[in-house]
Amino acid sequence: MNHPPPVSLAMIYGLFFRIGLFSFGGQLTSWIHREVVLVRGWMTNEEFLSGMALSQILPGVNSTNTAIFVGQRLRGAWGATAAIVAMLTGPFFAVILAAIFYKWIIGWEGMQSVMEGVAAVALGMLARLGISAGRGAAKGLTPALAMLATFVGVGVMRWPMLGVVAVVAPISVIISYMQGRGDEG
Amino acid sequence: MKDENIYLALVTILAPLSIAAIGGATGIYAPLQHETVDLRQWMTPREFIDLFAVSRLAPGPGSMLAPIIGWNVAGFGGALLATVALYLPSSMLCYGAARVWNRYRGKPWHRAIEAGLSPVAAGLIFSGILGLLRLGETGPLSWFTVVLVAGLLMWRPKLHPLILIGCGALAFFLLHVAGA
């Protein structure tokens, strides 16, 4: 059994509070990946990505589900609670402030361009996460095909996400299980 | 509407959406609009669109539309209740799944599921990017920025995204001023 590095609840709260507050333009999952995997090394890439896939299959908002997954892995129930409460605290007050001042903000003529710029940068962060995940998948034929099949089904054909995952994921898992046994034996 | 408890109404609208929203926050916008504008007439369609725009100004997950609607119809208590109603049911479910998932860490089949799910996640990320491209809100300048930011972050993984967000906002604003 590999254990996650010791991380205090205060560290979890502090990190997810900042992610919530800084994540202008959305794409919080790429923020979480950056901080948890790239900068802090609290989780491996594969651990994070499989948790992220679970978060997308489950109902609810993907990014907060991912936060719960990370918090649970690091510190159990309190870790999960700290992660989600922290991640929602900043945006909660920010959105109320935005509601109070919105006529003043919307009235400012440059706002639309600023928001476009922010959204484009956030999307660039998501693309960076995609490259990182794609590199991992490109190591073998099976994962590469699984990635391609998911992308073609969900992204290109726009088939229902759950249906595509229900077909692709079991095949991908069974093949990697058989390959794992082959490596050991 | 006058006989209806507004807090109870917020919970009965949002809690089912929490469990029904599979595949992210975008799925809740249409039913939320139907409930608050068409059925209960808490606001006009125009007000709903304005609130949607406001929710996108703030940081955080896309679904911060729920607290802002709660705020609009019932003040601070409404905002708090709307947030809890939208997040609590799905979060409990996710917590249960994460707990079961992490309990069996280290078993060979667990490693196989992890290895098998990672490429599926990669495919979903690229699908998400393509979906945002399809929305048509983004011009060539946005796509140049996306590629530039992804490249910069591959080259310098620890570069702080806030710096990039600030630069992006400034660059788009200056180009807007220069162009218009």
Side-chain angles (χ1 to χ4, degrees):
Chain A
M1 283 291 284
N2 56 331
H3 289 280
V7 178
S8 72
L9 286 176
M11 283 160 84
I12 295 175
Y13 192 92
L15 174 65
F16 280 95
F17 180 77
R18 263 174 292 147
I19 291 176
L21 200 59
F22 291 164
S23 56
F24 290 96
Q27 319 306 345
L28 283 86
T29 307
S30 47
W31 274 90
I32 303 172
H33 175 261
R34 173 190 186 270
E35 301 292 338
V36 171
V37 179
L38 296 178
V39 177
R40 286 170 177 74
W42 288 350
M43 277 175 135
T44 66
N45 211 27
E46 211 164 61
E47 235 180 306
F48 181 88
L49 288 174
S50 57
M52 187 188 153
L54 286 178
S55 302
Q56 300 218 357
I57 302 164
L58 292 168
V61 180
N62 301 336
S63 55
T64 50
N65 278 351
T66 306
I68 288 168
F69 185 86
V70 172
Q72 202 283 330
R73 167 84 176 114
L74 296 172
R75 287 301 300 261
W78 287 111
T81 310
I84 182 151
V85 171
M87 201 162 88
L88 292 177
T89 306
F92 178 80
F93 288 103
V95 88
I96 289 177
L97 276 182
I100 295 170
F101 293 109
Y102 103 92
K103 287 209 162 68
W104 180 78
I105 303 170
I106 297 263
W108 183 48
E109 191 228 356
M111 199 61 214
Q112 190 59 39
S113 344
V114 167
M115 279 180 64
E116 268 173 40
V118 170
V121 173
L123 205 51
M125 290 173 65
L126 185 65
R128 190 255 176 271
L129 173 60
I131 294 167
S132 169
R135 269 188 176 173
K139 280 180 189 151
L141 182 63
T142 314
L145 285 176
M147 175 173 71
L148 191 68
T150 308
F151 174 68
V152 170
V154 179
V156 180
M157 303 306 293
R158 292 165 147 185
W159 290 330
M161 188 265 282
L162 275 185
V164 174
V165 173
V167 173
V168 176
I171 298 172
S172 171
V173 167
I174 288 167
I175 294 176
S176 63
Y177 184 72
M178 289 181 343
Q179 282 172 346
R181 283 174 71 101
D183 290 347
E184 282 164 18
Chain B
M1 181 181 149
K2 62 179 183 292
D3 292 332
E4 191 183 36
N5 183 314
I6 207 149
Y7 296 110
L8 189 68
L10 279 172
V11 173
T12 53
I13 292 171
L14 288 163
L17 284 182
S18 177
I19 294 298
I22 294 172
T26 45
I28 71 165
Y29 299 146
L32 200 54
Q33 181 173 25
H34 181 64
E35 289 279 355
T36 56
V37 177
D38 304 337
L39 292 183
R40 289 169 215 262
Q41 297 176 350
W42 283 345
M43 57 194 77
T44 65
R46 179 72 228 170
E47 280 174 313
F48 185 89
I49 290 166
D50 280 349
L51 289 184
F52 178 68
V54 172
S55 77
R56 303 221 310 182
L57 289 177
S63 47
M64 295 316 276
L65 182 60
I68 211 169
I69 283 175
W71 167 262
N72 209 45
V73 298
F76 189 80
L80 202 60
L81 194 68
T83 312
V84 173
L86 183 66
Y87 281 101
L88 194 63
S90 63
S91 295
M92 300 288 283
L93 195 70
C94 180
Y95 171 75
R99 205 187 138 130
V100 172
W101 174 247
N102 284 323
R103 182 184 295 162
Y104 295 103
R105 188 162 294 283
K107 302 246 190 260
W109 60 265
H110 189 281
R111 277 201 295 275
I113 295 177
E114 209 164 76
L117 276 183
S118 294
V120 172
L124 289 175
I125 294 167
F126 286 119
S127 304
I129 296 171
L130 186 66
L132 288 167
L133 169 66
R134 276 214 176 102
L135 284 179
E137 289 175 11
T138 44
L141 181 61
S142 293
W143 287 100
F144 173 74
T145 310
V146 170
V147 174
L148 184 71
V149 166
L152 273 172
L153 287 172
M154 291 303 292
W155 178 50
R156 288 266 183 272
K158 296 193 178 182
L159 186 64
H160 203 282
L162 264 193
I163 298 169
L164 294 172
I165 288 176
C167 291
L170 187 66
F172 273 65
F173 174 67
L174 290 177
L175 284 168
H176 166 79
V177 172

